[in-house]
Amino acid sequence: MRLKTITILLLAVLPALAQPTVVRLDLERAVMLATDSSLTADRHRSVFQEAHYAWLSWQAGRHLQVELKTIPLQFEQDMVQRYVSDDDLDEYRQQKRLLSSADLTAEQIMEKWGGSFYARTGIAYLGNYGETNQHQFATIPVSVGYKQDLLGFNPYRWSRQTEPMRLTVAEQQMNYDVERTAEEAVARFFLLAMAQEQLQMAREHLQSCDTIYAIASRRFRIASISKAELAILELQLANARNALKSAQLDHQKAVRSLAVWLGMDEGIRLELVVPSLLPSLSVSLDDAIAQASHNNPNYLSMQLRELEARRDAEQLKRKKGLNASINASMGLNQVADRFEHAFRKPLVQNQVIVSLTVPIADHGKKRNAWLAAERKAEAASLQSGETRRDTEFDVTQTVAEVNERQTLAEDVRRALHIAEDAYTAMLQRFIRGQANVNDLSLAQTHWQSARKNQMAALQDFWKSYYHLRTLTLYDYLKHMPIRHHAQRQR
């Protein structure tokens, strides 16, 4: 009895388990899934993470850098040429050497001046083995110095401007690219919504054709309609069955496309909740342009390119003539045969190096490189103006579309109600025998066209709205800038 009960329960549960999971999805949820979980959005976040770590590396480089360089063991055994004074000749002798060294260095860049201070301490051991054995320890207890190019070009001053700007551009670009992913989600959502609506209309059309054909068959038996009219309705019924099969295939394809793109199981069933009413929205053009100039990465990225071009031009301008640099250091050193003696009575070690490079004949190489950099800076400035103009034009067009398509969607919704009422009235007239087949088919066609027009109007509005969000990186429904997390929330 117990086994029979378990069997009955399994037979009841297994069909339910075999049914695909049904997920109801509205537009907001689809956009959230796309921007949070899709592979495309994750790729954009990875690009930003690369820029973020590059900025952290630059920040770390501004602080004191301490490094230990060591050669724990270096052994050499070879034949070396030696001069023997007693015999007044050269000869080869075998020599063995053992070397070991360690140096601790610290360096701090000076952003204001463009140079760097450095300090060093180290110890080295050299042992020679052969006919005579010799051991030496060399120490540098402390040595400090300063080095800098004397061209007047300070790379650290420029990097203080470019590197924070580069990180900001990367963050804005990530937000921009993730919002483009949201745009694609809207397009895929309405592609499925259109297929879902087509499938629903195909089902309703088949049901209507079946009902009308049954009514017409009864009227044909009492000679109320002709055989030709009945044949037309039978043909419409067959076409409705074929249209339903085609709509089912298109719907399945659209479901798989959206589900896989959102990272869902391919076998899932999606039921979309399409927003039938649009939000009350009025977008100011001046406000949209202001938001775009502040948030859109096109503006700041072009400013960064222009700044980098001017930096390169200044560097080449400084290098086209006399080049000079200085490296000065002072410290202590000592050499001894025993380790403890290597630190006694250290000797002063001073060093000053001033290097000069004077171009004599380069046939205009450096000058032309500088002029090319100047032209590149001018081109970057002009391109920045073009980018601003094109972006503002795109914002202007999109704001106009958003505002106009709200009105258009409302007109289409009213037309849908009129077409639906007209079809309902015509169907009642056909049932009462007051309308013919052609009148009914025409009313049904107008109703279906109105439904398609409404879906298209909703699609056009939301695509325009999300494109405006991308351009301005501003949410006009929540009245706040759009900031996507660099690491998606799980």
Side-chain angles (χ1 to χ4, degrees), residues 94-241:
Q94 189 180 57
Q95 179 173 302
K96 299 177 183 179
R97 290 188 299 273
L98 181 64
L99 301 96
S100 181
S101 65
D103 285 283
L104 183 66
T105 59
E107 184 174 3
Q108 174 65 59
I109 64 173
M110 306 303 294
E111 293 184 338
K112 185 176 181 179
W113 303 335
S116 61
F117 280 107
Y118 60 88
R120 175 192 174 198
T121 182
I123 185 171
Y125 166 78
L126 172 63
N128 291 305
Y129 303 89
E131 296 179 359
T132 59
N133 295 335
Q134 183 183 19
H135 305 276
Q136 284 187 313
F137 293 90
T139 62
I140 302 177
V142 63
S143 176
V144 295
Y146 181 78
K147 57 185 177 180
Q148 178 177 338
D149 287 336
L150 302 177
L151 299 175
F153 176 77
N154 185 349
Y156 305 125
R157 180 176 63 84
W158 286 96
S159 65
R160 287 181 61 182
Q161 300 179 65
T162 58
E163 295 307 316
M165 188 181 297
R166 198 185 311 279
L167 179 65
T168 304
V169 168
E171 184 178 7
Q172 289 183 345
Q173 189 66 48
M174 179 195 67
N175 293 325
Y176 182 86
D177 291 336
V178 173
E179 275 303 297
R180 290 181 61 187
T181 305
E183 281 192 68
E184 186 174 356
V186 172
R188 290 175 180 266
F189 178 90
F190 276 100
L191 184 66
L192 175 56
M194 191 69 75
Q196 180 175 285
E197 185 69 12
Q198 290 279 27
L199 178 60
Q200 182 63 26
M201 286 192 297
R203 288 171 177 165
E204 293 175 359
H205 182 53
L206 176 59
Q207 184 179 5
S208 176
C209 288
D210 188 62
T211 302
I212 293 172
Y213 182 74
I215 295 172
S217 296
R218 291 195 297 268
R219 292 175 61 186
F220 175 72
R221 287 194 292 270
I222 61 175
S224 178
I225 64 172
S226 66
K227 185 176 181 180
E229 290 178 313
L230 182 64
I232 291 174
L233 293 176
E234 185 178 5
L235 177 61
Q236 288 182 348
L237 180 60
N239 290 337
R241 291 195 182 99

Side-chain angles (χ1 to χ4, degrees), residues 271-332:
E271 291 185 2
L272 300 188
V273 181
V274 182
S276 58
L277 297 177
L278 298 183
S280 179
L281 189 66
S282 179
V283 181
S284 166
L285 177 59
D286 293 337
D287 180 60
I289 291 178
Q291 293 293 342
S293 63
H294 187 262
N295 301 323
N296 193 298
N298 291 337
Y299 290 89
L300 194 59
S301 62
M302 290 310 305
Q303 294 177 27
L304 177 60
R305 288 186 187 180
E306 185 179 354
L307 185 62
E308 290 175 335
R310 289 196 288 109
R311 175 202 62 193
D312 296 340
E314 181 180 339
Q315 184 177 20
L316 290 172
K317 180 181 179 181
R318 301 286 184 180
K319 286 186 175 181
K320 70 183 180 69
L322 174 69
N323 293 326
S325 65
I326 184 172
N327 189 342
S329 65
M330 60 183 298
L332 304 171

